[in-house]
Amino acid sequence: MTKPLAIHWFRQDLRLSDNPSLLAASKAGNVLPIYILDDDNAGEYKMGGASRWWLHHSLNALNKSLKGNLRVYRGDAQAILCKLVEQNPNCSLSWNRCYEPWRIARDKSIKQALEQAGVEAQSYNGSLLWEPWQVLKKDGTPYKVFTPYYRRGCLSATAPREPLAKPRIRYAEGDFQALTIDELHLLPTVAWDVQLNGHWKIGEAPAQARLRQFIDEGLADYKEGRNYPAKKNVSQLSPHLHWGEISPNQVWYDVQRSGSGVNEDCLLSELGWREFSYALLYHFPNLPEKNLQKKFDAFPWRNNKKKLARWQQGMTGYPIVDAGMRELWQTGYMHNRVRMIVGSFLVKNLLLHWHHGKNWFWDCLVDADLASNSASWQWIGGCGADAAPYFRVFNPISQGEKFDHSGAYTRHFVPELSALPDKYLYRPWEAPEAVLDAAGIELGVTYPLPVVDVKLSREQALEAFKAIKVNPT
Ligand SMILES: Cc1cc2nc3c(=O)[nH]c(=O)nc-3n(C[C@H](O)[C@H](O)[C@H](O)COP(=O)(O)OP(=O)(O)OC[C@H]3O[C@@H](n4cnc5c(N)ncnc54)[C@H](O)[C@@H]3O)c2cc1C
């Protein structure tokens, strides 16, 4: 007797191992693995360019792992699923949950439509260590501060589930009227992705290899080394985690079993920040748009397209900021320390709205994630949950001197300053003419003069914060 058809809908879980929905489908019948590019419902949260580039390669890698059996579609997910179900009566359908507000609303509607068609859709947790609705304060309200969320809420709750085995899959046969991955047109028409191509290895196997390499080479000094962008102590797992090429459960348990003490705890708590961001997005679905602290609604943001463009292009005249923005453009990634520096610079020195930063990151990051990006930008702006206090303005000069004191990171991404002595690297405008000449630098020509005075702009920011009556805590 032929087994029933079990559709597994891949979304942010582009892997075979530790995939609860795929495992369930493989037990239920002959598996039809599908992916749907649903730009129609994403609205303003349609994927950015770097995300689309990653997705193209990740789908190809996944299809290879699935022995060419992945079927891809483009359009309204509900219409596509209802048609598939109609053409394949008695099938089952499952997926791993997503937590973006638009996806929650869409999935609810799909479940109802499928129920009416007599098909029960099953959903599983394949992306988070703890479900957002399970980690609540004693009074049933969501946590707004990270430390109690993580320590009291997560660590004292049931431990995350152990990773699941890779399923043995029997594939469904037939013509399911799918597109090819190329027909999704995810790659850019102008070839800005050349540099990204050389930087990443995409897919489940490279994600596993990245984790192994990080545990072997980076984790031992993670707690300290993670602050220095030139060091190789961070995992660079964020895009793999975002796309679900590896599960947080596997990272959690593999790191825990490595026995790396404080470094292990530190890495696990960073995974905790990822969970916290998702919990915030779930409980405060306006997180990507609205200040969590309402008093920030009156903040006198400036509007200056020229300054915004200089920030985006890495031409602010502050070398560590420019290095970060160029890293983002060239690799689709930016080191966390530098994300904080460039974020603070945009919001607190240029006084430009955090939305501009969030939107630029959304388009350029290969790990662009609605939860982590929105929560982090609110944190930078001082308007979010457990946010950086408004008076904490990162000084781009001292941050560069402290966290990239050899200049290796900055010189790599801002090569026009490479011959400048360390003493002036983060303040080229203070270098004597002879030093600039010897380094081949003409300020304002080969490298820009500062877009703002950091001291003055800091004072202006503090005044603006005072005006909305945000008091130091
Ligand atoms: C302004 C700003 C925007 C950001 N936007 C994003 C985003 O769109 N997507 C994204 O994944 N992260 C974002 N982050 C968080 C953080 O910078 C990245 O997760 C981290 O730099 C990824 O590098 P890694 O994998 O080497 O991190 P590691 O230090 O190796 O950490 C391991 C994992 O923990 C998680 N993690 C670490 N730090 C954070 C954090 N602060 N918040 C949430 N999760 C964290 C990530 O999944 C990361 O892969 C943002 C941070 C800032 C300040």
Side-chain angles (χ1 to χ4, degrees):
M1 206 175 88
T2 44
K3 282 180 130 191
L5 182 77
I7 304 174
H8 165 66
W9 178 16
F10 278 105
R11 296 120 64 92
Q12 298 299 118
D13 56 333
L14 306 180
R15 64 177 185 273
L16 270 55
S17 57
D18 193 21
N19 188 322
S21 163
L22 182 64
L23 184 64
S26 71
K27 288 178 182 162
N30 291 336
V31 178
L32 175 65
I34 65 168
Y35 181 86
I36 303 172
L37 179 65
D38 188 357
D39 281 337
D40 295 8
N41 288 305
E44 59 192 307
Y45 302 119
K46 197 173 147 180
M47 267 175 270
S51 295
R52 297 173 99 75
W53 171 85
W54 187 285
L55 177 61
H56 172 89
H57 295 292
S58 195
L59 288 176
N60 273 305
L62 179 68
N63 191 30
K64 224 168 153 190
S65 309
L66 293 167
K67 304 189 169 72
N69 284 288
L70 180 67
R71 305 300 206 287
V72 300
Y73 303 87
R74 187 179 58 215
D76 174 52
Q78 182 163 327
I80 291 165
L81 291 171
C82 285
K83 196 167 157 204
L84 264 178
V85 162
E86 196 185 294
Q87 289 168 346
N88 298 281
N90 302 324
C91 68
S92 63
L93 173 66
S94 64
W95 62 70
N96 293 310
R97 284 188 276 280
C98 291
Y99 302 86
E100 291 84 356
W102 70 270
R103 280 184 162 135
I104 292 178
R106 179 199 62 181
D107 293 352
K108 232 182 215 166
S109 164
I110 291 175
K111 270 198 172 174
Q112 278 168 3
L114 291 175
E115 245 166 51
Q116 278 168 15
V119 176
E120 198 192 337
Q122 290 288 350
S123 66
Y124 298 84
N125 177 1
S127 317
L128 293 179
L129 299 165
W130 293 276
E131 293 286 15
W133 51 86
Q134 286 172 344
V135 183
L136 296 171
K137 290 196 282 191
K138 278 205 178 114
D139 65 1
T141 61
Y143 285 97
K144 283 186 168 181
V145 179
F146 174 71
T147 304
Y149 163 82
Y150 182 61
R151 303 238 160 258
R152 244 180 270 152
C154 298
L155 293 186
S156 62
T158 316
R161 110 183 121 59
E162 290 269 356
L164 305 165
K166 214 181 230 185
R168 291 167 66 93
I169 304 175
R170 283 172 58 116
Y171 294 101
E173 285 173 13
D175 169 27
F176 297 97
Q177 296 164 15
L179 301 171
T180 64
I181 294 168
D182 285 347
E183 283 170 334
L184 296 179
H185 300 297
L186 291 164
L187 291 180
T189 43
V190 176
W192 54 257
D193 55 331
V194 185
Q195 296 180 100
L196 295 191
N197 283 324
H199 194 79
W200 296 100
K201 291 195 171 68
I202 298 175
E204 182 173 4
Q208 297 283 346
R210 185 93 278 281
L211 174 62
R212 290 266 66 76
Q213 192 181 0
F214 167 66
I215 290 175
D216 292 347
E217 297 169 16
L219 186 57
D221 190 28
Y222 177 75
K223 189 167 191 278
E224 175 64 9
R226 65 185 288 272
N227 287 306
Y228 299 89
K231 290 194 175 181
K232 302 250 178 276
N233 288 109
V234 291
S235 70
Q236 297 212 338
L237 280 169
S238 50
H240 300 293
L241 279 164
H242 169 74
W243 293 104
E245 294 172 355
I246 195 163
S247 74
N249 304 58
Q250 195 192 332
V251 180
W252 180 271
Y253 282 108
D254 283 11
V255 165
Q256 216 173 55
R257 285 174 187 138
S258 71
S260 310
V262 290
N263 294 297
E264 163 198 321
D265 291 344
C266 184
L267 190 283
L268 298 183
S269 81
E270 293 308 319
L271 290 179
W273 275 100
R274 179 176 180 270
E275 299 284 313
F276 185 50
S277 304
Y278 272 91
L280 288 175
L281 181 63
Y282 179 80
H283 293 292
F284 306 98
N286 287 328
L287 184 78
E289 297 307 324
K290 299 231 162 93
N291 301 315
L292 277 185
Q293 296 182 42
K294 294 279 161 269
K295 56 193 168 207
F296 277 81
D297 292 354
F299 192 83
W301 298 110
R302 295 199 178 150
N303 197 356
N304 190 321
K305 284 191 180 144
K306 277 192 185 150
K307 286 185 178 165
L308 177 61
R310 281 183 64 173
W311 179 82
Q312 290 170 333
Q313 290 158 8
M315 294 293 278
T316 65
Y318 286 96
I320 190 76
V321 175
D322 294 342
M325 297 310 292
R326 295 182 199 186
E327 179 184 28
L328 174 63
W329 184 252
Q330 288 171 29
T331 70
Y333 172 89
M334 194 194 299
H335 187 278
N336 181 61
R337 163 66 46 187
V338 195
R339 290 188 204 208
M340 293 193 288
I341 299 170
V342 305
S344 172
F345 189 80
L346 179 82
V347 171
K348 295 180 180 173
N349 293 108
L350 299 183
L351 285 176
L352 298 175
H353 201 297
W354 59 269
H355 284 173
H356 292 299
K358 182 203 68 166
N359 293 343
W360 185 249
F361 273 31
W362 182 255
D363 202 23
C364 297
L365 280 173
V366 289
D367 64 21
D369 183 282
L370 197 63
S372 296
N373 197 34
S374 308
S376 300
W377 275 103
Q378 291 237 15
W379 184 89
I380 291 284
C383 52
D386 201 6
Y390 80 91
F391 50 87
R392 186 167 178 212
V393 183
F394 286 73
N395 181 313
I397 303 165
S398 53
Q399 287 282 313
E401 286 170 347
K402 186 164 177 201
F403 294 109
D404 188 31
H405 56 93
S406 77
Y409 171 83
T410 302
R411 287 193 174 91
H412 177 77
F413 287 106
V414 190
E416 63 268 40
L417 298 181
S418 57
L420 197 59
D422 290 355
K423 185 174 172 196
Y424 298 111
L425 183 59
Y426 297 104
R427 44 180 99 225
W429 58 91
E430 288 181 9
E433 227 23 69
V435 173
L436 289 173
D437 281 351
I441 298 164
E442 192 178 343
L443 283 182
V445 179
T446 60
Y447 183 71
L449 283 158
V451 64
V452 282
D453 177 310
V454 274
K455 237 176 156 183
L456 191 70
S457 57
R458 179 180 184 277
E459 279 157 23
Q460 287 168 345
L462 295 184
E463 279 305 309
F465 282 113
K466 259 193 217 142
I468 60 162
K469 296 196 172 50
V470 184
N471 297 315
T473 44

